[in-house]
Amino acid sequence: MKKTDFFNALKDILEVDVDMTDGTNLRQIPEYDSMAVLSMIAFFDEKFQKKIEAEEFAKVTTISDLIGLIGADRFE
Amino acid sequence: MGAKILQIEYHLPERLVTNKDLEAEFEGWNAEKIEKKTGIRERRVVREDETALDMALTVSSRVLAGFDKDKIDYLILNTQSPEYIMPSSSCLLHNRLGLRTDVGAIDVNLGCSGFVYGLSLSKGLIAAGIAKNVLLVTSETYSKHIHPKDKGNRTIFGDGAAAAIIQQSDQEGILAFSLGTQGNEKDIIVPWGATKHRYDPGAEEIADPSGSIRTANNFYMNGPDVFNFTIQAIPPVYHDILEKNALTVADVDYVIFHQANEYMIEYLRKKLQIPEEKFYKNMLLTGNTVASTIPIALKDSLDRGLIKKGNKVLILGFGVGYSWGGTVLNI
């Protein structure tokens, strides 16, 4: 998946219009709540067939942490 | 000897908790946002002095209207909120209903899979000639387990009860089942209050990242891990139900999943490619009533003409345990 498409998907999931980069701190976005985590789980299942546990999500701060969970090799 | 569901009724307690009520109570909670994300606008909860057994009595009386209660020869009550640790609440319900003495009564302690399991037991009892008319009741008061300051779970769950009469029948009304279990004491649990660890009135309050508060005496649910589990475990079960009954989704007229939350079941619907018009989705005025969501959905679907006699309806319940089960009903 192209990183720009990933960033746009995250913007949709969080329903925000914030510019996203690798370094964006998700914890500072109020919309990154429990429902957003569910939406992310759904997104990762659908697009990457990847299962991410709640424990792993708890360690995520930035978007690049998310990319790390999925696997950097899955992105262009 | 086959079995069929003769009739279904449901009951919701009187006390109403709307999203607006929750918004007023919890800072940062927005009524419209809750409805949009969860599909829930309001839910009912019992009063302090009202129990699952009380609701079971109300709904049982309702389903027995116009039916000779002396014909009931087995009673199954599914609840995780018993009146007492013992005696079984089903025995007490039996007594309150004034059923014949020579009938069996048992409690089943399951959550969202409870109605389907109850149907599987009813079918078995009837097929074995042990019973001819089973009264199957689901009744739940998660509100009594959820901490008052647990905004997340107070939003999702509602109290409620349902009852069905399952009767022997020449035509098979309840087809083949797919059941499953994967024991888990991490993701959905009320840790204290039973035999592992006593209820402790001094238990300390624990806050989760979203600000919801609970103690170890209270209901706990790890939403993301439950979601993960569901989206992995449930699709194969759906396919197994169809396969065991030699059906495809085209042969099935309607699909009713346990109404856990709108987001999760909509994701399952898309993943399983179930057409929208065949898929029940409604928890707007009830929230998640645990084992009662499926019978409530069946009754609601019948009342609204979404399903009718002759239809094949696939039902699938899943949740705490983890426990899951499903079958196809010939309405």
Side-chain angles (χ1 to χ4, degrees), chain A residues 1-67:
Chain A
M1 175 178 280
K2 286 205 175 79
K3 266 206 195 161
T4 42
D5 292 337
F6 184 64
F7 294 154
N8 284 332
L10 287 182
K11 278 164 78 166
D12 279 339
I13 287 170
L14 295 172
E15 290 173 14
V16 290
D17 205 8
V18 164
D19 274 327
M20 303 237 167
T21 67
D22 282 305
T24 301
N25 185 339
L26 291 162
R27 302 274 165 196
Q28 281 173 358
I29 302 176
E31 288 83 355
Y32 185 67
D33 59 11
S34 52
M35 277 302 310
V37 170
L38 293 191
S39 305
M40 295 229 193
I41 290 175
F43 178 66
F44 296 161
D45 176 65
E46 195 190 337
K47 298 291 180 197
F48 302 102
Q49 292 78 52
K50 197 124 171 81
K51 177 180 158 180
I52 315 279
E53 309 258 339
E55 232 172 44
E56 295 170 287
F57 264 109
K59 294 183 197 147
V60 160
T61 309
T62 62
I63 292 187
S64 86
D65 290 339
L66 269 185
I67 290 173

Side-chain angles (χ1 to χ4, degrees), chain B residues 205-278:
Chain B
E205 289 190 347
I206 311 158
D208 78 8
S210 74
S212 283
I213 307 250
R214 63 181 173 94
T215 72
N217 297 317
N218 298 113
F219 178 84
Y220 165 75
M221 183 166 69
N222 179 336
D225 280 348
V226 172
F227 188 55
N228 260 323
F229 164 80
T230 305
I231 61 181
Q232 302 302 326
I234 296 312
V237 178
Y238 169 80
H239 292 300
D240 191 47
I241 296 166
L242 289 174
E243 201 181 298
K244 281 198 161 114
N245 289 293
L247 297 168
T248 66
V249 69
D251 303 314
V252 169
D253 296 291
Y254 211 59
V255 175
I256 295 177
F257 281 10
H258 158 59
Q259 304 291 294
N261 70 73
E262 193 164 278
Y263 187 80
M264 184 195 284
I265 65 172
E266 176 58 20
Y267 185 74
L268 283 172
R269 181 194 73 75
K270 283 194 200 134
K271 192 166 177 159
L272 295 168
Q273 298 176 320
I274 301 169
E276 247 186 297
E277 63 275 10
K278 278 194 188 186

Side-chain angles (χ1 to χ4, degrees), chain B residues 67-300:
Chain B
F67 188 88
D68 181 3
K69 69 177 183 190
D70 284 339
K71 290 206 169 99
I72 298 293
D73 46 15
Y74 212 98
L75 169 59
I76 301 172
L77 171 59
N78 182 87
T79 187
Q80 299 192 299
S81 305
E83 192 85 343
Y84 309 107
I85 299 291
M86 62 179 87
S88 301
S89 300
S90 56
C91 297
L92 303 178
L93 177 61
H94 171 284
N95 188 50
R96 291 187 192 185
L97 285 169
L99 302 179
R100 279 170 23 220
T101 311
D102 61 329
V103 323
I106 56 164
D107 282 16
V108 173
N109 180 336
L110 283 172
C112 308
S113 59
F115 184 73
V116 173
Y117 274 73
L119 282 183
S120 73
L121 295 171
S122 303
K123 178 178 161 124
L125 288 163
I126 289 168
I130 296 169
K132 294 195 173 81
N133 293 290
V134 180
L135 176 56
L136 169 60
V137 186
T138 57
S139 184
E140 202 49 80
T141 55
Y142 270 21
S143 66
K144 290 189 187 284
H145 304 299
I146 295 170
H147 193 285
K149 291 193 263 181
D150 184 345
K151 59 188 180 188
N153 287 313
R154 282 189 58 201
T155 298
I156 296 169
F157 291 100
D159 295 339
I165 299 173
I166 293 110
Q167 190 174 69
Q168 73 174 28
S169 160
D170 294 330
Q171 303 293 322
E172 186 53 89
I174 304 171
L175 304 184
F177 283 81
S178 179
L179 304 173
T181 307
Q182 191 173 298
N184 174 302
E185 54 197 290
K186 169 179 88 68
D187 294 339
I188 309 176
I189 184 168
V190 175
W192 292 357
T195 61
K196 176 82 175 166
H197 191 301
R198 280 178 185 278
Y199 178 92
D200 179 357
E204 66 167 307
E205 289 190 347
I206 311 158
D208 78 8
S210 74
S212 283
I213 307 250
R214 63 181 173 94
T215 72
N217 297 317
N218 298 113
F219 178 84
Y220 165 75
M221 183 166 69
N222 179 336
D225 280 348
V226 172
F227 188 55
N228 260 323
F229 164 80
T230 305
I231 61 181
Q232 302 302 326
I234 296 312
V237 178
Y238 169 80
H239 292 300
D240 191 47
I241 296 166
L242 289 174
E243 201 181 298
K244 281 198 161 114
N245 289 293
L247 297 168
T248 66
V249 69
D251 303 314
V252 169
D253 296 291
Y254 211 59
V255 175
I256 295 177
F257 281 10
H258 158 59
Q259 304 291 294
N261 70 73
E262 193 164 278
Y263 187 80
M264 184 195 284
I265 65 172
E266 176 58 20
Y267 185 74
L268 283 172
R269 181 194 73 75
K270 283 194 200 134
K271 192 166 177 159
L272 295 168
Q273 298 176 320
I274 301 169
E276 247 186 297
E277 63 275 10
K278 278 194 188 186
F279 193 76
Y280 185 90
K281 210 172 67 178
N282 176 19
M283 59 219 81
L284 192 69
L285 306 177
T286 59
N288 177 345
T289 54
V290 195
S292 298
T293 70
I294 291 176
I296 290 175
L298 279 166
K299 170 75 173 146
D300 183 46

